[in-house]
Amino acid sequence: MMATEATRRRFDASLAGLMAEAAASRDSGHGRLISYSRKVFIPLTKLCRDVCHYCTFADVPRAGKPVYLSPDEVLAIARAGVAAGCTEALFTLGDKPELRYQAARDALKALGHETTISYLTAMCALVLRETGLLPHANPGVMTREEISGLREVTASQGIMLESTSERLCMQGGVHYGSPDKHPAVRLETLRLAGELKVPFTTGILIGLGETRDERIDALEAIRDLHAAHGHIQEVIVQNFRAKPDTKLANSEEPDLDDLLWTIAAARLILGPDMNIQAPPNLSPGVYQRLVDAGLNDWGGISPVTPDHVNPEAPWPAIAELARKSAEAGKLLVNRLPVYPAYARVAETWLAPDIATRVRRMSDAEGFARDDDWAPGNTVLPPAPLVLARGVDTGIARIVERATSGERLTANDIVRLFAARDADYRHVTQAANALRRAVSGDVVRYVVNRNINYTNICYFKCKFCAFSKGRTHEDLRGAPYDLAFEEVTRRSVEAWDRGATEVCLQGGIHPDYTGATYEAICKAIKAVVPEMHIHAFSALEVTQGAATLGLSISEFLAKLKAAGLGTLPGTAAEILDDDIRALICPDKINTRQWLDVQRDAHRAGLRTTSTIMYGHVETSASWAKHLLALRDLQAETGGFTEFVPLPFVHMEAPMYRLGMARRGPTFREAVAMHSVARLALHPLIPNIQTSWVKMGPAGAAICLNSGANDLGGTLMNESISRAAGTQHGQEFPPHEMEALIRSIGRDPMQRDTLYRSVPETRRAASMVAAELEPIVLTPPRRKAAVV
């Protein structure tokens, strides 16, 4: 199929016009980001049965020279990549050399393999197992079985289509004598990869003697395959470079305008969402022009190995590439060998083991994590570099609307969460300025005690490492069910140590009823009548009401009469039912959670609000969550604060099962506080940061990024510790105040409702005695039924 007359006319437009249209299309799909993959290049074999007239990669067998890299050599290259921070192992090799060379057949036999692709599959598995690098394989034309086998051990695969011109395969053409370069067999490999749901790389090579119409034909063939299967993750536009000792050594190379025309054409044919790549090492010094033509990816860049296909063209340094990208108005971001659109739905596009690894290496957008931090860790990542010369005007407008109190759209909020570099700095600084305008330089905290009265729970939330079955002792600790005497003892001790609040939550014990929760409140009030009881998630309230046959409102009235003061906004997790179906399918849904909050607010019970983020969801779910909270607050005004709770992954079941990410990145965690300040303004004035999950140093950064509250001293913390956080169980008032003063802010001890506490309470908190050892009452046996 050749380009139609209408297509020809479209691409006969001026180059400047085509580039402007292509750049606008690219920006609508990718915004300011331009990506690359940090890789090592593993040339498994340079033998090839094809004889392309431009290639210097392919070699012939030579006496004394190994035909294939050995497993030890492969691992040495891969381990050097790991040490340099790479995430991709790019395997490049000649096409089926065993069909041409006896030396290849003999070498494969010695290695225990019949085919090159069989050995490649084994080496991909080896690198994956021993180093954790994600393999990307480019072995040429493949059968269905070969693609399927590689799918188990690679994150992505690829084959350059190069051209659909049959002329190039005829005598005198560059592909004459190269059976694997016939367009039909390469297109068939691409089709098979689509049927097998393999994220696939392809592209065209320009300057081989093809016409522009033939380039359009190749790009349209790629477009049609992608339309059928959705698997083409990137299209490379590679310019031919004449190389010594090849038949095309003296051939003319395509000029810059020809390359720019082809990039623009690729963008316009393939659409705004496609990833269009042009290797930067083949066009040094003209990065701005390449960006202007519509590309959004620089390809794989190696800090360790040369480009074995184009050894005369060294990779640019990644720091220099970041600077040049910024000069072109783009923000360089590291991706994995599998692109974000596929990483976000890894269960569809990747083998199970690969999907687990990709999730654990990804951020919420599907790019490579930009730090090694995880919630609960004690070491913070370095501050992010700011290279961009200005702030994206769209981001600036969204921030301006938010600070004026306007309700943002979900898409607005998603854009704020995606902010990086100067845009990220603008969002965090704007949130901090808004915090100062709303609450001044005071940082509040509450002296409280967490009492988790049981860790026995019959719900099966996949993120929870705290709950146990009645006798289940996997993960951390044994099951317990506190005696009322221990609950009241801890409450009295907390009061004596200056606390104004006890926060009570626990698992949903199968023997508990609404009367149990009511009795807990009465028991505490009986021994410490002035203690504020902040207790019971929406799930506990729902379960308790159901056991008594009461409505939510009726049950809340009973709890209030028993002494309940406020409710924690936990069990919210993510207010997006598609996500809840994955992480807590048997839990209350979004509507039910919001209804409990609404009923509590109507009953005169204030509640907090929370989000648990950084696991299987994306920023689209974060936006839904924030807007649901904002809308309910506009209706009731009953939320006291918003508390971001980053997912602590270490012992969480869904992480251990390979379902989840490693929590948010540090950038994402800080951004949650900043974006919440903007998106919830002016309705929820208090944004709290969790020192248990962020750590004191991380909490300090959040306090300078929109948060104004440091939460509670806790005294005991069980849930995050069970999940794996390394931070302590208590943050004493004098240490909290020292942290607050260290960032130039003024500490203020508050109660649950954000009122100042009496000086006598504050004084008691500053001279608190050491805590007595806690007693974890073993589960009581249920009385036999007679």
Side-chain angles (χ1 to χ4, degrees):
M1 181 184 71
M2 294 301 291
T4 64
E5 187 60 35
T7 302
R8 287 195 192 93
R9 284 198 302 271
R10 181 187 187 192
F11 293 109
D12 281 343
S14 71
L15 179 59
L18 284 176
M19 290 172 62
E21 186 182 353
S25 175
R26 182 266 324 281
D27 289 347
S28 72
H30 299 278
R32 295 186 88 191
L33 299 184
I34 190 166
S35 54
Y36 80 103
S37 176
R38 200 177 182 102
K39 72 176 181 184
V40 287
F41 200 132
I42 302 177
L44 191 63
T45 180
K46 290 191 172 184
L47 298 191
C48 183
R49 76 160 174 168
D50 295 316
V51 289
C52 301
H53 299 181
Y54 48 82
C55 181
T56 57
F57 176 79
D59 205 350
V60 296
R62 300 179 190 279
K65 185 176 181 180
V67 171
Y68 293 88
L69 293 181
S70 70
D72 286 344
E73 289 171 322
V74 168
L75 278 180
I77 296 171
R79 286 172 175 149
V82 171
C86 297
T87 55
E88 174 183 351
L90 169 63
F91 283 87
T92 294
L93 53 153
D95 209 315
K96 300 179 184 62
E98 67 274 18
L99 298 182
R100 181 177 181 187
Y101 297 113
Q102 182 63 44
R105 294 191 286 274
D106 293 342
L108 286 169
K109 184 177 181 180
L111 290 165
H113 294 270
E114 291 187 1
T115 68
T116 297
I117 292 182
S118 170
Y119 183 52
L120 168 66
T121 304
M123 291 303 95
C124 288
L126 179 69
V127 165
L128 188 68
R129 181 177 67 249
E130 297 295 327
T131 72
L133 290 181
L134 297 173
H136 171 90
N138 284 333
V141 173
M142 292 178 281
T143 65
R144 177 183 294 273
E145 292 71 27
E146 289 167 337
I147 297 170
S148 180
L150 278 170
R151 188 181 190 272
E152 298 300 311
V153 292
T154 60
S156 54
Q157 301 174 41
I159 185 172
M160 288 289 284
L161 176 57
E162 297 195 11
S163 177
T164 51
S165 173
E166 290 285 355
R167 292 186 306 103
L168 302 183
C169 297
M170 297 177 183
Q171 190 167 3
V174 294
H175 290 150
Y176 181 67
S178 300
D180 300 298
K181 292 302 174 85
H182 281 276
V185 297
R186 299 179 88 75
L187 288 168
E188 177 63 5
T189 297
L190 285 167
R191 187 189 67 80
L192 291 172
E195 289 186 352
L196 292 169
K197 291 197 173 300
V198 176
F200 223 69
T201 292
T202 190
I204 62 173
L205 184 55
I206 69 169
L208 302 180
E210 80 291 348
T211 66
R212 284 188 171 183
D213 282 354
E214 288 170 332
R215 290 181 203 170
I216 292 170
D217 183 52
L219 292 168
E220 289 181 338
I222 293 169
R223 178 200 63 196
D224 293 345
L225 282 166
H226 182 63
H229 303 289
H231 67 304
I232 304 296
Q233 64 166 2
E234 68 180 331
V235 174
I236 303 169
V237 178
Q238 183 169 331
N239 46 317
F240 160 72
R241 295 285 297 267
K243 297 176 176 65
D245 302 320
T246 67
K247 291 184 177 180
L248 299 187
N250 298 316
S251 296
E252 185 178 354
E253 299 177 349
D255 63 19
L256 178 59
D257 282 357
D258 203 17
L259 175 60
L260 297 175
W261 180 91
T262 310
I263 294 171
R267 171 61 64 197
L268 297 175
I269 290 168
L270 296 166
D273 295 327
M274 180 56 72
N275 298 294
I276 307 293
Q277 176 195 130
N281 58 317
L282 300 186
S283 303
V286 292
Y287 296 168
Q288 175 75 60
R289 298 283 284 154
L290 300 180
V291 170
D292 290 345
L295 64 76
N296 68 290
D297 189 83
W298 293 121
I301 307 294
S302 180
V304 178
T305 52
D307 180 350
H308 290 279
V309 174
N310 299 285
E312 78 287 354
W315 305 114
I318 292 171
E320 175 67 5
L321 188 63
R323 188 178 66 81
K324 291 291 188 183
S325 297
E327 290 175 359
K330 297 299 173 187
L331 307 177
L332 187 67
V333 59
N334 188 15
R335 61 168 172 82
L336 302 174
V338 57
Y339 275 81
Y342 302 87
R344 291 194 297 265
V345 284
E347 65 280 0
T348 298
W349 290 98
L350 303 172
D353 178 53
I354 302 293
T356 292
R357 293 171 185 271
V358 165
R359 290 186 192 104
R360 292 177 176 178
M361 297 169 73
S362 298
D363 66 14
E365 293 176 79
F367 288 107
R369 296 178 73 89
D370 49 17
D371 57 53
D372 290 327
W373 181 85
N377 286 356
T378 56
V379 179
L380 297 186
L385 293 175
V386 176
L387 297 175
R389 294 176 173 180
V391 175
D392 180 78
T393 56
I395 291 288
R397 284 194 295 267
I398 294 169
V399 167
E400 184 177 354
R401 287 167 38 224
T403 55
S404 72
E406 183 179 329
R407 183 188 187 275
L408 300 179
T409 68
N411 285 341
D412 290 336
I413 296 172
V414 167
R415 284 196 67 182
L416 293 181
F417 277 122
R420 297 171 186 258
D421 198 278
D423 297 341
Y424 169 75
R425 182 177 63 182
H426 181 73
V427 169
T428 58
Q429 289 181 347
N432 198 42
L434 184 58
R435 180 272 310 161
R436 186 178 296 110
V438 169
S439 61
D441 284 330
V442 173
V443 174
R444 295 169 176 83
Y445 70 95
V446 61
V447 178
N448 67 347
R449 184 170 200 170
N450 267 13
I451 302 177
N452 302 120
Y453 39 78
T454 183
N455 64 352
I456 297 171
C457 185
Y458 64 82
F459 281 80
K460 304 296 182 184
C461 301
K462 296 176 183 177
F463 53 82
C464 184
F466 169 74
S467 68
K468 309 287 182 283
R470 190 185 294 273
T471 58
H472 182 56
E473 297 190 17
D474 189 23
L475 307 175
R476 298 184 176 211
Y480 66 81
D481 180 12
L482 297 187
F484 277 19
E485 293 79 7
E486 175 64 7
V487 173
T488 56
R489 184 198 70 77
R490 294 191 197 182
S491 300
V492 170
E493 184 180 36
W495 181 261
D496 291 343
R497 299 180 84 242
T500 58
E501 169 196 304
V502 285
C503 177
L504 297 110
Q505 296 178 92
I508 307 300
H509 195 298
D511 296 344
Y512 280 22
T513 69
T516 311
Y517 303 125
E518 186 180 2
I520 289 173
C521 292
K522 288 179 176 178
I524 293 171
K525 283 296 186 180
V527 295
V528 197
E530 294 182 77
M531 184 70 82
H532 182 97
I533 300 176
H534 181 63
F536 313 133
S537 73
L539 181 60
E540 289 158 294
V541 170
T542 301
Q543 183 257 359
T547 62
L548 299 180
L550 298 175
S551 69
I552 298 295
S553 297
E554 291 169 332
F555 182 52
L556 286 170
K558 288 178 71 68
L559 291 176
K560 186 177 181 182
L564 179 66
T566 53
L567 280 73
T570 47
E573 324 312 352
I574 292 287
L575 297 176
D576 180 337
D577 286 336
D578 289 340
I579 302 302
R580 298 179 81 82
L582 298 174
I583 67 174
C584 51
D586 55 351
K587 211 166 192 173
I588 56 176
N589 62 29
T590 296
R591 180 190 57 78
Q592 291 171 311
W593 187 91
L594 291 169
D595 284 348
V596 172
Q597 311 308 308
R598 181 181 290 105
D599 287 345
H601 298 168
R602 288 173 176 169
L605 292 166
R606 305 289 297 278
T607 71
T608 66
S609 58
T610 66
I611 187 172
M612 193 271 292
Y613 63 104
H615 36 90
V616 305
E617 83 298 358
T618 68
S619 56
S621 296
W622 302 344
K624 286 183 181 179
H625 189 106
L626 291 176
L627 290 174
L629 296 180
R630 181 187 174 98
D631 291 345
L632 183 57
Q633 183 74 340
E635 176 188 338
T636 68
F639 290 125
T640 54
E641 70 227 63
F642 174 69
V643 189
L645 300 173
F647 172 59
V648 179
H649 73 281
M650 296 81 163
E651 299 291 341
M654 67 183 181
Y655 180 78
R656 289 164 51 134
L657 292 170
M659 294 172 56
R661 303 192 300 277
R662 296 176 56 240
T665 66
F666 190 73
R667 175 184 59 81
E668 291 169 341
V670 174
M672 180 60 74
H673 297 75
S674 301
V675 175
R677 168 64 68 189
L678 295 166
L680 299 175
H681 176 69
L683 301 179
I684 300 181
N686 299 304
I687 307 297
Q688 184 184 123
T689 185
S690 169
W691 62 266
V692 175
K693 294 176 170 61
M694 297 299 302
I701 291 173
C702 292
L703 289 170
N704 281 327
S705 303
N708 68 301
D709 191 88
L710 201 47
T713 57
L714 300 188
M715 300 190 196
N716 301 112
E717 201 294 314
S718 304
I719 295 173
S720 295
R721 296 284 293 179
T725 182
Q726 300 173 27
H727 302 298
Q729 297 199 55
E730 182 175 25
F731 200 172
H734 65 279
E735 292 184 16
M736 274 203 172
E737 296 200 357
L739 176 69
I740 292 165
R741 290 191 178 98
S742 74
I743 60 172
R745 306 273 275 283
D746 303 318
M748 177 180 167
Q749 207 173 105
R750 63 166 175 87
D751 68 6
T752 312
L753 295 172
Y754 281 80
R755 302 170 300 201
S756 298
V757 300
E759 184 55 36
T760 53
R761 290 283 79 208
R762 185 179 186 282
S765 73
M766 293 297 176
V767 293
E770 290 293 315
L771 285 165
E772 293 294 320
I774 61 173
V775 175
L776 296 178
T777 314
R780 293 174 287 282
R781 290 187 178 276
K782 200 172 183 181
V785 178
V786 254

